[in-house]
Amino acid sequence: MESSLSLFISVWMRIFFIFTPFFVLSMFLSMTPGYTEPQRRHLAYRMIAAVTAFCFGAYFLGEII
């Protein structure tokens, strides 16, 4: 039972991480229909910076938090 649960979680996590970028891209495009190409690019760069800062903060301050 434990090995089948472990296999299920392992497969689910792989599928989740493989398909997540496609879901995020489609959500981003559907939420910015009136934006021009430079506005979308600028927003994407800002989001990348915010996510990177959050990841580094969680990495370095995770034990404290």
Side-chain angles (χ1 to χ4, degrees), residues 3-58:
S3 65
S4 62
L5 180 61
S6 176
L7 177 65
F8 174 76
I9 291 172
S10 174
V11 170
W12 175 251
M13 292 301 289
R14 289 178 185 164
I15 290 173
F16 178 76
F17 283 111
I18 288 171
F19 286 115
T20 298
F22 300 112
F23 295 139
V24 170
L25 178 62
S26 64
M27 185 63 79
F28 178 78
L29 292 175
S30 69
M31 292 179 71
T32 58
Y35 286 35
T36 63
E37 187 67 29
Q39 288 174 323
R40 282 186 178 165
R41 186 174 294 116
H42 179 70
L43 180 60
Y45 287 145
R46 288 185 62 191
M47 293 305 299
I48 290 169
V51 168
T52 302
F54 177 78
C55 288
F56 276 120

Side-chain angles (χ1 to χ4, degrees), residues 49-65:
V51 168
T52 302
F54 177 78
C55 288
F56 276 120
Y59 178 75
F60 289 115
L61 302 173
E63 290 291 324
I64 298 170
I65 294 173

